[in-house]
Amino acid sequence: MSVLIDLSSDTQTRPTPGMRRAMAEAVVGDEQKGEDPTTNQLQDTVAQLTGKEHALFLPSGAMCNQIAFRLWGRPGQTILLHETAHPIQYEAGGAAALSGLQLTPLPGARGKFSAEDLARHLTRTSRHNPKSACVSVEQTTNRGGGAIWTLGEIDAVADVAAANNLPLHMDGARLMNAVVETGISAAHFAARFDSVWVDLTKGLGCPIGAVLAASAEAIEEAFHYKHQFGGAMRQSGIIAAAGLYALDHHVTRLADDHAHARRLGAALQTMPGVKVETDPIETNIVFFSVAGTGLTAPAFCDRLLAESNVRLGPVDDTLVRAVTHLDVTDQDILTAIDALHTFLTQTKNGTAP
Ligand SMILES: *Cc1c(COP(=O)(O)O)cnc(C)c1O
């Protein structure tokens, strides 16, 4: 059978030969003592990239969010963020379990909330209401289909947060996708934020790791929580080297992923039974509904995988997600489009074989 084309997530990349070489050759030491030169170099690089004083290498993006929330919140307080945000949907209730924090979901199209909606929630300040701890923004939005927060949208939300003395946190899992798509630097995007992190394991193609950046004081405290959460490592230069390699070699090529997503989306628009929900396609994520095929999203994805070795991700009963990344070539996108076309022509109107 043909090779698997995995569009289920941009976490499905494998380290490239060049990245593996960089990892094998990494100079290492004890990270917990601040003596791993490669980890230190990655932290310095990300601090500079995001325009912050210091940065901290962590095992995962989820830990970046959880440590930032612990930094900014006290038990019983609430974090304000979009209702589809990763910490609400996919972090196993971490904010409640680890830090005693609750999460206030804000509405809005494409994973973004408005300054007005944020302000409306912050006006509730009687003794009955939870105190707000921080405001969190996802760049780009995952469940919002890779949408980019514009500088104007960020400024409006940042003004409300500042007026209420609230720290502003960026879940920058895909910040570099926004940077490449807009030409706006990571530091410029992050300027109004008190904490920001980038994931190394999404489009950047690393096997492990994410880096949280903030003021020197906040990062010093974050290191304490890194120990507390069990995330402090030893010779982490082996994996930090992958991050440095990715920042050198895998950033500008994210533009290819965006072109691939647009090509896939445009092709899907001409196919029967499906409806593209991500409009416009801004980066590397495309959501589409399969309600018109007579199949549920999980059945659709199972059968497409079985018949043509193209993997997509079911999100709920009718919605499917396709994500482009480093391991998906021009030819893979054409092959996936062909496979979808064949499959959809056969399954039109529920007459699936
Ligand atoms: C993947 C992701 C995370 C979590 O990152 P991990 O490195 O998988 O822990 C957090 N936020 C967003 C928006 C993500 O897409």
Side-chain angles (χ1 to χ4, degrees), residues 246-257:
L247 290 171
D248 276 346
H249 296 91
H250 294 169
V251 173
T252 51
R253 64 147 308 284
L254 291 170
D256 299 345
D257 298 344

Side-chain angles (χ1 to χ4, degrees), residues 10-11 59-65 85-87 90-91 138-143 171-174 197 199-202 209-210 285 321:
D10 49 5
T11 55
S60 71
M63 198 183 279
C64 290
N65 277 337
H86 199 276
Y90 306 116
E91 293 183 19
E138 208 171 272
Q139 181 75 305
T140 66
T141 65
N142 180 340
R143 285 291 302 270
D171 171 340
R174 296 183 181 80
W197 61 271
D199 214 334
L200 302 170
T201 62
K202 301 281 165 69
I285 302 176
R321 189 179 77 153

Side-chain angles (χ1 to χ4, degrees), residues 173-254:
R174 296 183 181 80
L175 170 59
M176 298 318 290
N177 292 79
V179 166
V180 167
E181 187 58 28
T182 59
I184 295 166
S185 72
H188 197 172
F189 269 130
R192 305 278 316 257
F193 289 82
D194 298 281
S195 49
V196 52
W197 61 271
V198 291
D199 214 334
L200 302 170
T201 62
K202 301 281 165 69
L204 295 181
C206 296
I208 303 165
V211 188
L212 175 69
S215 68
E217 191 188 1
I219 290 301
E220 189 53 37
E221 197 183 343
F223 213 134
H224 174 74
Y225 295 130
K226 177 176 174 173
H227 277 275
Q228 198 174 77
F229 289 9
M233 297 175 271
R234 294 296 183 187
Q235 285 72 32
S236 55
I238 292 285
I239 51 176
L244 284 166
Y245 182 91
L247 290 171
D248 276 346
H249 296 91
H250 294 169
V251 173
T252 51
R253 64 147 308 284
L254 291 170

Side-chain angles (χ1 to χ4, degrees), residues 15-235:
T16 61
M19 181 179 281
R20 285 177 185 268
R21 258 195 312 280
M23 296 173 78
E25 290 164 7
V27 182
V28 298
D30 187 344
E31 177 213 84
Q32 295 189 14
K33 292 186 156 58
E35 292 171 359
D36 185 285
T38 308
T39 300
N40 292 342
Q41 193 190 337
L42 174 65
Q43 292 174 163
D44 291 348
T45 302
V46 173
Q48 194 171 24
L49 181 75
T50 54
K52 302 299 172 203
E53 282 177 343
H54 273 310
L56 184 62
F57 186 41
L58 290 166
S60 71
M63 198 183 279
C64 290
N65 277 337
Q66 294 304 327
I67 287 182
F69 293 168
R70 177 66 148 257
L71 280 176
W72 305 133
R74 296 291 164 267
Q77 295 185 341
T78 191
I79 312 271
L80 294 107
L81 72 185
H82 192 265
E83 61 194 1
T84 62
H86 199 276
I88 291 189
Q89 302 284 338
Y90 306 116
E91 293 183 19
L98 300 169
S99 303
L101 291 161
Q102 70 174 44
L103 304 173
T104 299
L106 300 174
R110 302 211 56 188
K112 301 189 275 188
F113 50 86
S114 67
E116 291 72 29
D117 278 325
L118 176 61
R120 202 168 300 131
H121 274 78
L122 292 173
T123 54
R124 303 189 203 145
T125 52
S126 82
R127 317 178 160 148
H128 305 283
N129 302 125
K131 285 198 163 70
S132 300
C134 104
V135 178
S136 181
V137 160
E138 208 171 272
Q139 181 75 305
T140 66
T141 65
N142 180 340
R143 285 291 302 270
I148 297 169
W149 282 78
T150 66
L151 289 174
E153 290 166 341
I154 289 171
D155 271 339
V157 160
D159 286 345
V160 174
N164 289 274
N165 285 319
L166 291 179
L168 191 60
H169 170 70
M170 184 195 291
D171 171 340
R174 296 183 181 80
L175 170 59
M176 298 318 290
N177 292 79
V179 166
V180 167
E181 187 58 28
T182 59
I184 295 166
S185 72
H188 197 172
F189 269 130
R192 305 278 316 257
F193 289 82
D194 298 281
S195 49
V196 52
W197 61 271
V198 291
D199 214 334
L200 302 170
T201 62
K202 301 281 165 69
L204 295 181
C206 296
I208 303 165
V211 188
L212 175 69
S215 68
E217 191 188 1
I219 290 301
E220 189 53 37
E221 197 183 343
F223 213 134
H224 174 74
Y225 295 130
K226 177 176 174 173
H227 277 275
Q228 198 174 77
F229 289 9
M233 297 175 271
R234 294 296 183 187
Q235 285 72 32

